[in-house]
Amino acid sequence: MSKFIFVTGGVVSSLGKGISGASIAKLLQLRGLKVNMVKCDPYINIDPGTLSPYQHGEVYVTKDGAEADLDLGTYERFLGVEMTRHNTNTSGAIYQTVINRERKGEYNGTTVQVIPHITNEIKARFTPFEKDYDVTVIEIGGTVGDMESLPFIEAARQFKLERGWANVMCVHATLIPYIASAGELKTKPTQHSVTKLREIGLEPDVLICRSERTLPQSMKSKISLFCSVPVEAVIEAKDVPSIYLLPENFERQNLTDLIIKRLNLKPKTKNDGKWFDFVKKAIKPNKEITIAIAGKYAELHDAYKSVAESLNLAGMSNDVSVKIKYVNTQTDNIPSSLNGVQGIIVPGGFGKRGVEGKIEAIKYARENKIPFLGICLGMQCTVIEAARNLAGLKGANSAEFEAKTPYPVITMMKEQKEVKMLGGTMRLGNYLCELEKDSLAYKLYKQENIEERHRHRYEYNTEFVEKLESVGLHITGWHKHTLPEIVEYKDHPFFVAVQFHPEFKSSPMNPHPLFDGLVKAGLRAK
Ligand code: GLN
């Protein structure tokens, strides 16, 4: 029978619940078990697709085109399991399903209520992987005590009752603050948070205690006594220099064995330690390069989470520490702020704000032969820059770019022109792309057909393809010979821009070929 691990959080948000859950999942996977993860977000938006990056950071895109929380990126990077729409749930989506059912009369005249109708729908979403996976780790977003997350916790309580204690366990992530003036670590917030969790019916089996300092054994014993959790289940989660060190940190405290015993799991292998060794070696690199991410959310690093992680992971595989310089294309001086970098990325984005700076950055990369990777809007800006280069269109107003009359070289996709509704108006998820054999992309991917994830409304207007070939901008990847997916300059050491989002597919020991190529080119440029 499949087993379930709930991960909740207490005291404050941003405790790294997602990373803790992913670490637990990784440890079980390293013992040969099949593990998947589910995220439950308590907000009412149907998905984060329409949320501002200022509120929610990056929108992660799954292969089947779901727009999801960035935690799914963490899950995928840790586990190497491709996420789908079944890995992500919001209160909004759950209520929508129930309300649609009610409108169809499927509840036969009964009063539709949070218990049982909403909680039943939540429970149904805990189990999409039970047939194919040994364990599902379910992260419940928000902080225990929030009104919004109550139905999820109530659903977890019912689920545990139905499935039985032996099949379901609860991990609670909490904070042990250090009070400098007292020179002490404090357990009271954790005690309160566990009390709150019990009040609403869940009993923690494990406490993941986030703290800046080492938890002495006496402190673990105190937490154990007051929170009624066995002392060996009080796990210290001290800040680590790399999130990929966390699994080994947990392993050292015997957390994996504890979970295996508690859920009576049957591990298929021993952990061979290769993953741990890779991470330990990779975080002490001998070389260093700086890559600029030139976008409009330079101050908000979560907006470029997967891009940054893909660079980090490519660095880890190449014995390089990749320092990221976030350049604000709206307010920073370009090109002077790009001086001295070994590579430039213009990432995806929406809206015309900062577009002129992105075009400037691309011009700088092209003219100065700086390794360059353009992503989605970054590819569209590459096409505009080529057009300006060709036609001396320097005065062209970027306002035209994403306004109602798009800039001529970038046009709204035909299918998108007809859709008016908010959300679901984009080309989302995996699409095939065929690579030209004589291209940088082919050299990097080492295969002709690739599949990558998309999230866009606009495309390179193919009326201009021949004209822009004359300034050297070649299309080296196509979708069904009709939609340009990749452009390159050949008289450049490394210049590639793609309509898709390669940043969603990286993991330790498996860096994405484009990021791997960029980091290698950056090293050569040093
Ligand atoms: N805004 C552009 C479009 O819709 C680019 C989107 C993106 O970069 N993800 O096509």
Side-chain angles (χ1 to χ4, degrees):
M1 188 192 254
S2 199
K3 310 278 177 161
F4 298 84
I5 302 173
F6 288 101
V7 181
T8 53
V11 184
V12 290
S13 59
S14 307
L15 274 178
K17 240 186 322 173
I19 296 165
S20 295
S23 297
I24 288 172
K26 184 75 208 172
L27 288 170
L28 296 173
Q29 191 191 54
L30 290 171
R31 300 283 184 103
L33 294 162
K34 290 192 74 188
V35 191
N36 211 326
M37 297 190 69
V38 166
K39 175 87 200 265
C40 297
D41 274 308
Y43 53 75
I44 307 291
N45 304 62
I46 303 293
D47 62 45
T50 54
L51 276 173
S52 155
Y54 287 115
Q55 303 240 336
H56 199 268
E58 134 189 309
V59 172
Y60 191 77
V61 182
T62 62
K63 66 173 177 180
D64 57 347
E67 297 175 284
D69 187 88
L70 53 76
D71 273 324
L72 266 73
T74 307
Y75 304 168
E76 191 161 328
R77 286 187 283 272
F78 269 75
L79 299 181
V81 171
E82 278 200 292
M83 296 287 117
T84 67
R85 58 184 65 252
H86 300 295
N87 295 83
T88 172
N89 301 291
T90 67
S91 291
I94 287 156
Y95 272 83
Q96 190 183 47
T97 307
V98 171
I99 292 168
N100 287 345
R101 223 176 264 148
E102 186 274 334
R103 288 291 82 185
K104 282 197 226 141
E106 289 181 22
Y107 291 110
N108 277 335
T110 50
T111 310
V112 180
Q113 291 173 301
V114 173
I115 306 173
H117 303 99
I118 295 295
T119 46
N120 282 352
E121 180 57 29
I122 296 174
K123 283 186 284 179
R125 290 168 184 243
F126 288 158
T127 57
F129 306 113
E130 71 175 329
K131 274 201 196 78
D132 303 319
Y133 288 83
D134 303 308
V135 183
T136 306
V137 177
I138 302 163
E139 182 191 346
I140 300 188
T143 307
V144 165
D146 292 351
M147 193 189 271
E148 283 90 345
S149 55
L150 271 177
F152 288 101
I153 299 195
E154 167 59 15
R157 184 192 69 78
Q158 294 176 15
F159 188 80
K160 191 172 172 188
L161 189 70
E162 288 164 18
R163 297 287 176 130
W165 181 88
N167 300 314
V168 180
M169 69 181 282
C170 300
V171 173
H172 189 56
T174 166
L175 179 73
I176 310 286
Y178 178 75
I179 307 295
S181 56
E184 265 183 85
L185 286 161
K186 292 291 184 187
T187 65
K188 194 72 80 189
T190 296
Q191 293 178 39
H192 282 300
S193 170
V194 171
T195 304
K196 193 85 217 158
L197 192 63
R198 283 183 199 285
E199 223 172 81
I200 46 186
L202 276 192
E203 181 160 294
D205 296 286
V206 171
L207 291 177
I208 303 279
C209 301
R210 187 72 196 272
S211 81
E212 290 167 39
R213 310 207 161 205
T214 305
L215 284 189
Q217 197 58 30
S218 59
M219 183 71 53
K220 283 191 170 183
S221 303
K222 184 174 174 191
I223 296 167
S224 160
L225 178 68
F226 282 94
C227 300
S228 193
V229 168
V231 68
E232 62 276 13
V234 179
I235 305 294
E236 170 199 289
K238 214 170 81 170
D239 300 350
V240 273
S242 160
I243 55 171
Y244 301 107
L245 286 171
L246 201 59
E248 189 177 5
N249 185 353
F250 287 173
E251 177 79 49
R252 250 185 275 119
Q253 300 176 66
N254 296 322
L255 180 58
T256 328
D257 288 337
L258 186 144
I259 295 171
I260 286 172
K261 193 165 156 219
R262 165 69 178 79
L263 291 176
N264 196 17
L265 291 162
K266 305 275 177 284
K268 301 200 172 58
T269 52
K270 283 205 170 114
N271 180 345
D272 63 11
K274 276 196 195 134
W275 204 84
F276 293 170
D277 292 344
F278 170 82
V279 174
K280 267 187 295 197
K281 184 167 176 294
I283 61 157
K284 289 198 192 108
N286 289 307
K287 295 164 271 179
E288 187 184 303
I289 56 169
T290 302
I291 306 262
I293 297 183
K296 68 179 168 185
Y297 297 114
E299 300 72 32
L300 191 84
H301 299 177
D302 263 2
Y304 304 119
K305 178 94 183 151
S306 291
V307 175
E309 264 317 304
S310 294
L311 282 173
N312 177 27
L313 290 165
M316 283 169 71
S317 284
N318 284 288
D319 193 23
V320 194
S321 156
V322 181
K323 298 274 169 266
I324 297 174
K325 181 169 188 192
Y326 291 92
V327 172
N328 188 325
T329 55
Q330 196 183 14
T331 53
D332 287 341
N333 187 294
I334 293 174
S336 69
S337 50
L338 296 169
N339 251 341
V341 301
Q342 283 81 47
I344 298 172
I345 292 184
V346 172
F350 289 82
K352 61 179 188 282
R353 197 159 60 81
V355 159
E356 284 301 320
K358 291 175 188 176
I359 296 170
E360 282 295 309
I362 293 164
K363 180 169 189 273
Y364 178 76
R366 176 176 61 77
E367 290 179 345
N368 295 283
K369 310 262 187 252
I370 317 267
F372 175 79
L373 172 61
I375 298 174
C376 206
L377 180 60
M379 165 174 153
Q380 296 167 358
C381 290
T382 299
V383 174
I384 297 170
E385 198 279 321
R388 288 189 186 178
N389 183 22
L390 173 71
L393 286 173
K394 290 206 174 59
N397 181 359
S398 73
E400 290 172 69
F401 170 53
E402 278 205 357
K404 289 195 180 68
T405 52
Y407 191 89
V409 290
I410 298 297
T411 180
M412 188 178 267
M413 299 174 72
K414 200 175 134 279
E415 306 85 306
Q416 303 303 333
K417 284 183 189 151
E418 286 129 34
V419 198
K420 292 281 177 289
M421 216 182 80
L422 198 62
T425 62
M426 277 188 278
R427 182 172 179 250
L428 285 165
N430 268 11
Y431 284 91
L432 272 177
C433 167
E434 286 149 38
L435 306 183
E436 301 244 306
K437 278 223 146 163
D438 175 26
S439 69
L440 173 62
Y442 179 79
K443 233 169 86 190
L444 297 169
Y445 279 96
K446 300 185 179 68
Q447 63 194 71
E448 256 172 280
N449 294 309
I450 57 163
E451 232 178 344
E452 291 278 11
R453 300 183 201 170
H454 296 71
R455 182 172 182 246
H456 66 119
R457 290 188 184 89
Y458 294 89
E459 65 174 321
Y460 180 177
N461 183 350
T462 43
E463 281 172 40
F464 292 86
V465 168
E466 260 171 51
K467 280 192 183 142
L468 297 187
E469 284 269 348
S470 72
V471 280
L473 189 74
H474 296 290
I475 300 179
T476 60
W478 287 91
H479 174 67
K480 295 194 170 160
H481 308 286
T482 50
L483 195 143
E485 292 271 4
I486 307 180
V487 295
E488 294 179 17
Y489 283 111
K490 304 220 163 159
D491 61 344
H492 189 287
F494 188 100
F495 192 111
V496 56
V498 295
Q499 185 56 76
F500 48 80
H501 289 272
E503 71 271 25
F504 298 139
K505 283 166 79 168
S506 296
S507 59
M509 297 193 266
N510 247 329
H512 189 284
L514 294 179
F515 286 91
D516 188 55
L518 180 71
V519 165
K520 287 191 164 94
L523 272 176
R524 289 194 296 270
K526 203 163 167 164

